[in-house]
Amino acid sequence: MITESIDELRHDPSGPVLITGGYGTVGAEIARILAPDTPTLLTGRNPARGGALAAETGSEVRAWDLADPAPFRADVRAVIGSVNDPEDRVLRAAVAAGVPYVDITRWTARLQRAVTVAALLRPTAPVLLSSAWMGGVSSLVTAALAEELGGAERVDIAVRWDMADRAGADSVEFMDRLGVAFEVVDGGRRRLASPMTESRTVRVGDTPMRVARIDTPEQFTLPLTLGTTTAATRIGFSSPAATRALLALRGTGFFRWADGERWAPARRALLHSPGEGGTARLRVDVGHGGRSRTATVTDPRGQHHLTAVGAVLGLRRVLGTDGSPAPRGLVFPEQHPVPADTLGPLAAHGVEVTFDGHRDAGPEERDGCDDSPGADGPGDGTGRAGTQAAA
């Protein structure tokens, strides 16, 4: 176990942006978005794998295997963590050097540990833990709706996972905890929820789909940052058969008795169906003071691209290049000072955010019954990111 930094980063405002996991599925997309205007340093276990990407983006590639105790040294402008950092090596090195840091890879338990590590290290540079769904995009959109409503008493997020999309190993590992209960806030009280339970039918875009609970970090952070008294994230799959199969397996106790490394390949095979590309889509419902708003986020280039866009917006946040001063110390994505300002950059990267109209929340939306808030759909799309931010 690593309890202090064994690596040496130095803050160089004119240096490259370091992307750990830089030639993985998401890291490569981040590098492409940043090129050619932002120099990048891509790291991973095998630099040879990043050669073609480096030539494409004009990046430098170096080895940094987080499982190898060999120290790593570099002068960098900022760090984006796009690969799992199980011993917090990247976090510790960035904080020790006063380097702005964005992480998009942590599931809730690891994010909670990172919060503790960062608090003990007392960072002087921004540390943005942006592992909410799709690189923090779900939290940014939630914050934009909350800003309009004057708060966010209730947040319901429904994710459509496209089975045809590209997904890296870390994405599957993020989801591979379907036998582990997690803490949620429901009606202002903390309780344990089980993955793939509390299912309901929600219209995500034009498609009704069955979604069920999954452990994601925004369910931990939103009650702390926005005062949310009920926060729920659910996931469904583009293949209804896949959703039914997972719900059935959950009912048999498979994910409980098949826990551990022995069964990991079998569990992850159920979740990992890498394709050539698909569409990422999620729906965010926010209720406050008897009113509710719905936003639907769509990225036709897929979930890896949407996550990369979230990471790039996070980079601009910690560098203070998004129109607002850079934050100090530890922050989460929904703490953006003007969250509606993030909708234009989403649109600039090809991400569509549409909004419903104002309406009063009915009692069924507050009771947590089977139909989700606003289950009649996102309306006629009266707003579009960049043209009608939060309408």
Side-chain angles (χ1 to χ4, degrees), residues 193-288:
S194 295
M196 300 309 293
T197 61
E198 303 173 38
S199 65
R200 58 177 55 173
T201 299
V202 179
R203 185 176 294 276
V204 182
D206 296 328
T207 307
M209 61 185 305
R210 201 72 177 168
V211 294
R213 297 290 300 240
I214 189 170
D215 183 12
T216 54
E218 67 271 10
Q219 295 172 95
F220 165 69
T221 67
L222 292 175
L224 300 175
T225 54
L226 301 184
T228 301
T229 56
T230 296
T233 299
R234 292 176 169 85
I235 192 169
F237 298 84
S238 58
S239 164
T243 303
R244 288 193 298 269
L246 284 173
L247 290 173
L249 283 172
R250 178 66 181 82
T252 67
F254 170 81
F255 292 105
R256 184 173 61 253
W257 60 257
D259 196 13
E261 287 304 310
R262 176 184 176 185
W263 289 93
R267 292 194 315 272
R268 294 174 186 180
L270 292 169
L271 299 169
H272 194 206
S273 180
E276 295 301 316
T279 298
R281 184 170 287 127
L282 64 140
R283 168 178 171 153
V284 180
D285 289 275
V286 176
H288 184 78

Side-chain angles (χ1 to χ4, degrees), residues 8 18 53 64 86 99 117 162 186 225 243 279 321 346 371 379 385 389 391:
E8 185 180 342
L18 167 62
L53 179 66
W64 190 7
V99 174
V117 170
D162 194 328
D186 189 356
T225 54
T243 303
T279 298
T321 58
L346 283 171
D371 289 328

Side-chain angles (χ1 to χ4, degrees), residues 86-112:
E87 296 294 333
D88 301 309
R89 282 182 65 173
V90 184
L91 170 63
R92 293 177 186 277
V95 171
V99 174
Y101 172 75
V102 180
D103 185 277
I104 60 168
T105 66
R106 298 173 187 271
W107 55 80
T108 307
R110 286 190 174 175
L111 180 138
Q112 291 169 332

Side-chain angles (χ1 to χ4, degrees), residues 30 53 57 64 92 145 265 292 366 384 386:
I30 296 171
L53 179 66
T57 60
W64 190 7
R92 293 177 186 277
L145 296 180
S292 70
R366 296 189 289 268
R384 187 180 296 266

